[in-house]
Amino acid sequence: MFDIYEVIFEIYDEDKLVNKQKMQAPKEMIMINFIQTVDQIGRDRRPLKVKMIRPNVIWDNFENKQKVLNNEIEFSNNAMIAWEENHRSEVKE
């Protein structure tokens, strides 16, 4: 009845991966989970980012082998955007 998808959720605090979990569910449930997580992270004062990854196995005709392409969507809160901008400017100096 419902197609089941497998995704990986990653939560970052600054540049550190603090939580990683796999989820198998119908597309609608995965979307709701992502939106709820985005809402929580958006209200948090810490520099946080959520990334949802959906591995997609394809056949590469050029190399004659299977490859995994990762479809990703991510959200960073305002604190994370500021932290990344500051971190980038420090690296350039």
Side-chain angles (χ1 to χ4, degrees):
M1 186 166 141
F2 290 105
D3 288 335
I4 302 296
Y5 293 87
E6 181 174 301
V7 296
I8 300 165
F9 279 93
E10 296 179 345
I11 308 276
Y12 293 85
D13 186 341
E14 295 180 348
D15 59 350
K16 296 174 239 19
L17 177 65
V18 294
N19 190 349
K20 181 176 183 175
Q21 63 186 127
K22 208 177 267 193
M23 178 180 186
Q24 292 180 332
K27 174 176 61 172
E28 292 77 11
M29 296 298 293
I30 291 171
M31 290 168 55
I32 289 168
N33 189 318
F34 183 75
I35 291 168
Q36 288 174 341
T37 306
V38 162
D39 186 51
Q40 290 172 345
I41 285 175
R43 288 185 269 116
D44 202 300
R45 293 179 182 250
R46 297 172 293 168
L48 298 174
K49 171 171 55 178
V50 60
K51 186 185 290 189
M52 184 175 67
I53 305 159
R54 181 172 173 247
N56 187 17
V57 179
I58 64 160
W59 180 258
D60 184 338
N61 287 326
F62 184 71
E63 296 183 15
N64 287 322
K65 66 178 183 178
Q66 282 188 339
K67 284 189 173 182
V68 177
L69 299 179
N70 288 324
N71 297 310
E72 299 180 4
I73 185 168
E74 66 180 53
F75 170 80
S76 297
N77 65 9
N78 289 335
M80 177 61 103
I81 292 168
W83 181 85
E84 288 174 336
E85 287 175 358
N86 289 336
H87 188 67
R88 250 184 268 138
S89 64
E90 290 173 5
V91 171
K92 287 181 182 178
E93 293 174 4

